[in-house]
Structure formats: structure tokens, C-alpha cells
Amino acid sequence: MDTLTSLPTPSPNAPGSPFLPPESPLPMLPCRLDRATEANRSPVHSGAALTVRRLFIFVGTGVLTLAGGYGMYDVVNVGGVTFLEAVLLGLFLVLLAWIAFSFMTALAGFFVLLMRSRSCLPIDKTGSLPGVLSRTAILLPTYNEDPHQLMARLRAMYESVQVTGRGDQFDWFLLSDTSDPDIWICEEMTFIRLRRACAAARLYYRHRSDNTARKSGNIADWVMKFGSAYDHMIVLDADSLMEGETIVRLVHTMESHPDAALIQTQPVIVNACTIFGRLQQFAGRVYGPIIAAGNAWWHGGDSNYWGHNAIIRVRAFAAEAGLPELTGRRPFGGHILSHDFVEAALMRRAGWAIYLAPALGGSFEEVPPSILDFAVRDRRWCQGNLQHLAVLPARGLHWVSRLHLLTGIASYVTAPLWLLFLVLGLLISLQAHFIRPEYFPKGFSLFPTWPQQDPVLAAQVFAATMGLLILPKLLAYLVLIGSRSERTGFGGSPRVMAGVVCETLIAALIAPCMMIFQTKAVFEILAGRDAGWQVQRRSGGQLARGEIYRKLAGPTLCGLALSVSACAVSLPLLLWMSPVVLGLLLSIPLGLMTSARLKTPGLFATPETNNPSAVVLRANELAASGPIVMAGALHQLSQDPELLGQHLGSLPVAGPRKFGSVDVPLATATIKLEECESLEDAAAWLDKPELRAVLGHPTLLQQVLHTPRAGKSRAG
């Protein structure tokens, strides 16, 4: 084979790609966090009414926090407040404020749904389907996902939009950041079959070999190359599904609200098949509506973005949401992982409105199937949210946007705070048990001072705190049973109540384990450990028992240490801590149980399992048609001339070779291929980075594919 020096270097442009339309560039520059952007518009629906709503939330949070703090002070104030008790009280106030804030939001959502209040962003869900005039691109980013499942979801959504009769206004882009070479070629093959099945020229595929900035970089790259041809883009995740009517109504709403830059839907979890997945699906479907309604009620046009199942005005995004690279080393420096919160804050800074539309149905997503898979995704989110510490001081951000960032940070910081609260309470109990109290204070005293805590008051404070956690679930239940269609969809009021009780008990047992995982994640990030970019296991993945034993051993040991320490004080203390201790000690059995598959949803049935949406049914039908069996990237290309032609046509055009840094995988691949006598040798000797480099280099790839097959070589 030719040497590396004779191979041309690919050019960055690929005109005439068979997978892509002509480019329509739109500039998108990184924004400045140290310089405020001059707002050129004011969001609608901001005024006195929104101020009153926010006062309700924050005054209520303050009152509940102060009342709880006063009760806790009476509990710890026994003969004076020690240093440890003062720290404990401070932690309690912070954690109670977090609980009270969530409670007030749920309470607001309860009244909104009960009164059927009109949303600040009205969307007609039942009227005739409106026409749309604007051009919209639907973007589906992917990274090493199952191509067969991916194309099934994409085709189901495409067909659903076509049924509405508005399909000519939409283009579909599959934006691949896939690094596995075999999955890359399989994506191209399944995409070719998808285009053939749909007989459509509006389906496009782009593979990006440079995964800079991950998903946010993928979207930004599309905007800079194709953005000027479109008014809006709908950003999805690899596990997203949306009904065609929902997509059309979103576009019509954007056309009707020219001050809106983004409208976020409320995705509903579907296709959960394990106990853990069913728990999340049930909880999200029962409790999610009042939380979302409460947030939309007081957010107004200052809402947030969750990174998927949302429509975005392309020019507003390009002009304002270019993400800077944070200074410093990873994990705090570098590209912003949790980009969605920041992009929403930057567009809001420029005066655009950001809305949440919780009442609009037809938006779906999937969920990790086990505790461990959830923890892996949570670890990545934890790092992304802690990165927002560097974004919080940015100039010009709206105070509600800063609150969104702070809420994301607090959702992970509270885990180590809860653990510290438990440890401090245990230390105070140990101190009281083993250290003799000072009965006679300094100075003259005829009678001793007997330290005595009020167990009744302590129980009342504990019960009130638990009430703030549990009452929103009961409010959500009341809203649900107040709707006949919802009751019927869930299978009746008694069934829902039984599901709420079971979900509450199991979730309470799982919570201590998640507290340990999140605490570990926070400390790993603070120590400088990067989460990387791992492939998410979807609902079809299976956990090995050994993995469960190994990864849940830590929480189990923590539970053992806490139980031994509590026993050293008294049996009542152990009983008091039993909810936490029991959940930790049962981590491994819970991990095994909740990762098991369910044949039927049972108590955790939702309307989406009892009567699935048409787009969900169609996606599942297509996915069940059977996965494609791949022979390996090189063998598949050698056997499929159409695939090879399309692949070569999609690669960058080779330009003149330039001196610079050496592409190490390409160089080592070239050296290895010089010794190969057959295609089988090449497939066996090249590792994944080398194979990816060969697949991205048209000259070298054609040389490899023209190598004789092993059987023919031996026959000669």
C-alpha cells in the first residue's frame, strides 16, 4: 500500500454530499459572560401579576423555613446550643428551605390545575390543526446509539408529521457524533433504508468526526452550516418521541408569539420495562403535572430549557446562545456540559422569552432502566450543573435565570448536605451518650441543670418536614382523580392510590442509596475527576449481577457503619434512623429487584401504558421488526456498493496535504495496512480509532476495500 506521505488531507467542506442539503450558513459566535448583552425586546406576560405569583412562592418558602427552623431551635436548645448543634441547625434551615420551595411550587400547581387557570402561553390542544408557514428543522443528535431503534423513532415521528398534511414545512436531520466505526456504518446503512422506505428527500444525515463540545457543539455546528434556511428547530434526544400534531402546534405557537425564543414541552416517560423504570414513569406521570404547572405559573416568560423536546427560534439561538469555553481545567473548565440551562439564560438575557408548555401533550422520552444506569447519567448531570458555578456571575442574566442555575447546583449539593446532617446528628447523640454533661454551670447555683430534650417536639418537627415531602403527592392524587379521563387512563382511583403508596415506600428506600451516589459524584468532581462521555444504556440493556454487587457495596457499607454507630447510642436512635439505614443496608437487594423486568405494569400503569400514543406504538412496531445484523464496517462496505458510494460521497473532499500535527490513528493504521494481505487482516488488526480514521479517509478506505479477500488470496 502507499505510504502516509502520499495520502491527501481531507478538506473541511463536503459539497454535494448525498446525505445533506446545500449549506445555508448562519454565524454563531461564542458569547461573553463578562459583558452584558443589550436586551432588544421585553418578554410578554411580565408585570404585576407575575410579581404577585413570585411573592407567593418565596414568601411561603420563607415562612415555612422560619417556622421549621424555630421548632428545630427549640429541639437543640438544651442548656445552650453547642457548635455542632449550631451547624446542625444551619444545615436544617438550608435543607428545609429547599423542601419548602418545592412544596410551594407544587401547591401553586395544585391550584392552577384545580382551577383550570389559563396558561400565560395559551396553546389550543383540541381545536382544528392550524396551518404553519415557517420552515422548521427537526434535529436528532445521536452518540453510539442503536441505529435500528433510532431510525424506528425517527420514522415514526416523520410519518406522524406527514399525516398532518404539513410535512412539506419540515426537514429532518440525524446529527451523528458516533465514535464507534461499526455503529457509524450501520447508521448510514439504516438511514439509506429509511430514506428508501419513506420515499423522502427531506431526511438528512450528518456524521461529525470531531466531537467538540458534545451535543451543544453538534447543534451549534448544524446552525452554522444550515441554520439560515430555517425559522425554527426542534431539538430531540436519541430517546425522544413527539406526535405530529404536537410538533405542528408548537410551530404555530412560535409563529403567534414573535417574542418567544424557546418553548419547552413536558416529556412523559414511556417504554419503561423494569421496576425502576416503571417507578419513574409512574411518579413522573402522577406528580409531574402539578410541579410543571406550578413552575410555568410563576416562571412566565422566564422559564428554562431541558435540552430536548423543545422548539427554538434559530436566529435568536445563533445570535445569543453561542457557548464560551470555560477557563480552567476539567471538570469545571472546558466545554459546558449542561448547556441547556445556560442557552436559555443567554437568550433570556437578550430579551427573548422562554416558555414552559406543560399542558401540551404528545411529547415523550425514555428513562434509564436501573439505579446504576440512573446514577451514571446523574453523574454527568452533576458535573454539568456544578460547572454552572462559573456561569452564575455572568453579567446581565435575569435573576430568575440565575435561580434556575442555582437550583440545578442545589439539586446535587443537597445530597452531601443531607449526609452531613445525618452524621452531625449522630455525632451529637454519641457526644451526649459518652461525654458526661456539666450539671452545674459556672457561678453559684443551688440546683443542677438537667439537660433534657423534648422528644414530642422533635417528633413534631420531623413529621412536619415529612409532611412537606409527602403532601405534594397527595395533592397530585387529588388533581388526578378529579379528572375522569385521567382516572380511567390510570385504571381507577384505588389503583392509583395503591401505586402512590408503593412508589412512596420504594422511593424512600432508594433515596439513601442515591444520596450516597450523588455525594460521591460531588466529591469526585471537586477532586478534579471528569465524567467523560459514556454511552447511555437504554431500556433494553441488562445489568450483570456482579456489577450490582460491586457498585452497591459502598452504600451497603455506609448503612452498616451508620447502624453500628446508632446502636452504640441506643435502640431508639437506631429506630429513628431506620428509614435511612434500612435503605442503605438493602441497596443490593433493591438494585436486583428494581432492575428486574416486569411483564405487566401492575400498580404502576399509566395512561401511556394502558393506551399508548400512536407515535409510540408505531415506533415500537418498527423497532420490533428485528435489528439489522452487521458484518463489520469494512465487510459491510465491501458487500454493499450503494452504501459504499453514499459513504464516500459524504466524506470531505480531499485537499492538498499540509504539514502540522500527525493524525496518530491514521498513521498507525497506514503502517498496519501495509502488512495486510486481506480484508480480514485489516478488519482484525485495526482498533476502533484506527478503523474510524480509515473510514473517514476516502483514498485509504478504497485501498483497503480493494485488498483481496482472504479466501481469494489463498486460492491464488
Side-chain angles (χ1 to χ4, degrees):
M1 290 189 180
D2 294 340
T3 61
L4 180 64
T5 55
S6 66
L7 297 177
T9 302
S11 163
N13 298 316
S17 169
F19 291 144
L20 289 170
E23 292 190 0
S24 303
L26 181 63
M28 183 173 181
L29 300 175
C31 71
R32 296 283 299 271
L33 298 181
D34 59 346
R35 181 185 302 170
T37 301
E38 183 179 352
N40 52 18
R41 65 193 79 246
S42 298
V44 293
H45 303 298
S46 58
L50 200 56
T51 301
V52 171
R53 295 176 181 182
R54 290 168 177 173
L55 283 174
F56 171 80
I57 297 293
F58 293 108
V59 171
T61 299
V63 169
L64 290 174
T65 303
L66 290 176
Y70 182 78
M72 188 64 178
Y73 175 79
D74 284 343
V75 171
V76 300
N77 185 23
V78 180
V81 179
T82 66
F83 173 75
L84 288 180
E85 290 171 338
V87 175
L88 185 77
L89 179 60
L91 285 173
F92 179 79
L93 287 172
V94 172
L95 295 170
L96 182 61
W98 176 253
I99 295 172
F101 179 66
S102 300
F103 172 79
M104 291 302 301
T105 300
L107 186 63
F110 170 73
F111 286 114
V112 167
L113 295 179
L114 193 67
M115 304 298 181
R116 291 178 170 81
S117 300
R118 189 170 180 265
S119 171
C120 61
L121 184 70
I123 300 179
D124 183 9
K125 301 183 297 179
T126 58
S128 59
L129 195 64
V132 293
L133 302 175
S134 54
R135 301 282 304 151
T136 301
I138 300 180
L139 311 182
L140 180 55
T142 180
Y143 175 72
N144 292 331
E145 297 283 347
D146 182 337
H148 178 68
Q149 301 281 338
L150 196 68
M151 300 303 167
R153 288 188 282 267
L154 181 57
R155 181 176 174 180
M157 289 185 285
Y158 173 84
E159 292 176 350
S160 183
V161 170
Q162 291 299 111
V163 168
T164 66
R166 277 67 168 177
D168 290 343
Q169 301 303 115
F170 298 89
D171 286 356
W172 303 74
F173 288 82
L174 180 61
L175 305 179
S176 173
D177 264 346
T178 292
S179 59
D180 187 301
D182 292 329
I183 297 179
W184 174 13
I185 299 305
C186 189
E187 283 177 354
E188 292 185 345
M189 183 176 67
T190 53
F191 180 75
I192 291 171
R193 295 183 181 183
L194 173 65
R195 285 183 107 177
R196 188 184 301 128
C198 295
R202 296 189 181 278
L203 288 165
Y204 303 108
Y205 172 86
R206 193 279 319 271
H207 179 265
R208 192 172 67 130
S209 58
D210 179 11
N211 305 140
T212 301
R214 305 182 186 183
K215 181 180 177 180
S216 62
N218 200 350
I219 299 298
D221 183 74
W222 177 88
V223 169
M224 289 186 286
K225 290 181 179 178
F226 304 101
S228 67
Y230 300 95
D231 301 287
H232 315 115
M233 59 183 180
I234 294 178
V235 180
L236 305 172
D237 258 357
D239 60 359
S240 294
L241 279 170
M242 293 183 74
E243 291 178 351
E245 286 198 8
T246 298
I247 291 173
V248 171
R249 292 186 190 279
L250 273 176
V251 174
H252 176 71
T253 305
M254 286 291 279
E255 292 176 345
S256 304
H257 294 79
D259 287 332
L262 186 148
I263 302 174
Q264 174 68 63
T265 66
Q266 174 79 13
V268 173
I269 298 172
V270 294
N271 293 333
C273 57
T274 63
I275 295 177
F276 183 79
R278 296 287 189 190
L279 280 171
Q280 294 181 83
Q281 181 170 309
F282 179 83
R285 189 60 174 81
V286 176
Y287 318 135
I290 68 168
I291 298 294
N295 280 327
W297 181 74
W298 72 266
H299 287 175
D302 308 321
S303 195
N304 206 357
Y305 173 37
W306 302 333
H308 59 94
N309 292 42
I311 187 170
I312 304 173
R313 196 174 301 275
V314 174
R315 294 190 181 277
F317 186 84
E320 310 299 342
L323 297 181
E325 188 170 349
L326 300 178
T327 58
R329 299 179 62 184
R330 292 183 179 181
F332 287 108
H335 298 288
I336 298 174
L337 296 183
S338 293
H339 54 92
D340 39 15
F341 281 37
V342 181
E343 289 161 348
L346 293 174
M347 287 188 285
R348 176 61 189 86
R349 180 174 74 170
W352 292 96
I354 312 294
Y355 289 106
L356 173 62
L360 182 64
S363 178
F364 309 100
E365 65 176 341
E366 294 184 8
V367 72
S370 70
I371 294 174
L372 295 184
D373 293 309
F374 186 88
V376 169
R377 187 184 71 173
D378 209 46
R379 169 67 171 79
R380 186 174 69 250
W381 288 358
C382 179
Q383 180 174 328
N385 279 274
L386 291 184
Q387 268 188 323
H388 293 165
L389 288 167
V391 182
L392 270 176
R395 292 181 178 273
L397 296 184
H398 193 279
W399 69 269
V400 176
S401 298
R402 293 190 200 275
L403 184 61
H404 293 322
L405 296 172
L406 193 60
T407 301
I409 296 168
S411 63
Y412 291 97
V413 173
T414 50
L417 292 182
W418 274 115
L419 183 59
L420 182 58
F421 179 80
L422 291 171
V423 171
L424 276 178
L426 190 57
L427 288 176
I428 291 171
S429 299
L430 288 170
Q431 182 185 52
H433 184 74
F434 291 106
I435 299 177
R436 183 186 298 274
E438 185 177 348
Y439 294 104
F440 291 92
K442 295 181 180 179
F444 178 76
S445 177
L446 291 176
F447 302 100
T449 300
W450 302 100
Q452 183 179 4
Q453 290 185 339
D454 187 346
V456 175
L457 181 59
Q460 290 174 348
V461 172
F462 176 79
T465 305
M466 291 299 102
L468 293 180
L469 290 170
I470 295 175
L471 189 56
K473 298 188 176 190
L474 299 178
L475 295 178
Y477 173 75
L478 292 176
V479 169
L480 189 152
I481 64 173
S483 168
R484 182 177 180 179
S485 61
E486 287 288 275
R487 287 198 313 270
T488 305
F490 276 91
S493 303
R495 189 189 189 108
V496 180
M497 175 53 74
V500 168
V501 172
C502 290
E503 185 277 333
T504 301
L505 293 176
I506 299 175
L509 291 173
I510 293 175
C513 182
M514 296 308 304
M515 175 186 68
I516 297 298
F517 279 134
Q518 289 183 343
T519 300
K520 179 185 176 185
V522 169
F523 281 107
E524 284 179 348
I525 293 165
L526 293 177
R529 183 177 173 185
D530 184 29
W533 196 6
Q534 301 180 27
V535 181
Q536 182 172 316
R537 183 160 35 199
R538 301 295 178 187
S539 58
Q542 291 289 325
L543 274 177
R545 284 179 175 266
E547 185 180 359
I548 294 175
Y549 294 147
R550 184 176 67 257
K551 293 185 177 180
L552 293 178
T556 303
L557 292 175
C558 290
L560 186 61
L562 286 175
S563 60
V564 170
S565 301
C567 278
V569 178
S570 66
L571 180 60
L573 180 62
L574 178 61
L575 294 175
W576 185 261
M577 296 183 63
S578 60
V580 174
V581 170
L582 190 61
L584 293 174
L585 291 176
L586 294 177
S587 293
I588 292 176
L590 281 170
L592 293 170
M593 180 192 75
T594 56
S595 61
R597 289 178 172 270
L598 282 176
K599 294 182 179 179
T600 60
L603 292 177
F604 303 128
T606 66
E608 287 68 36
T609 54
N610 292 331
N611 186 23
S613 164
V615 72
V616 176
L617 285 174
R618 180 57 175 159
N620 292 342
E621 175 190 354
L622 292 168
S625 62
I628 297 173
V629 179
M630 281 285 293
L634 292 178
H635 289 94
Q636 194 67 40
L637 288 170
S638 68
Q639 297 167 5
D640 191 337
E642 181 187 6
L643 174 62
L644 176 60
Q646 298 272 16
H647 175 77
L648 290 173
S650 69
L651 295 179
V653 177
R657 191 176 67 86
K658 298 180 181 179
F659 291 100
S661 59
V662 176
D663 186 336
V664 175
L666 183 61
T668 56
T670 305
I671 295 172
K672 286 184 179 181
L673 292 174
E674 290 178 353
E675 304 298 325
C676 292
E677 297 182 355
S678 67
L679 190 64
E680 282 74 9
D681 288 346
W685 292 359
L686 296 176
D687 62 21
K688 287 186 181 296
E690 293 165 348
L691 180 55
R692 187 170 68 243
V694 170
L695 293 176
H697 201 290
T699 304
L700 188 56
L701 176 60
Q702 292 184 82
Q703 291 173 355
V704 173
L705 295 178
H706 283 91
T707 303
R709 299 295 297 267
K712 294 181 180 180
S713 178
R714 284 192 289 270

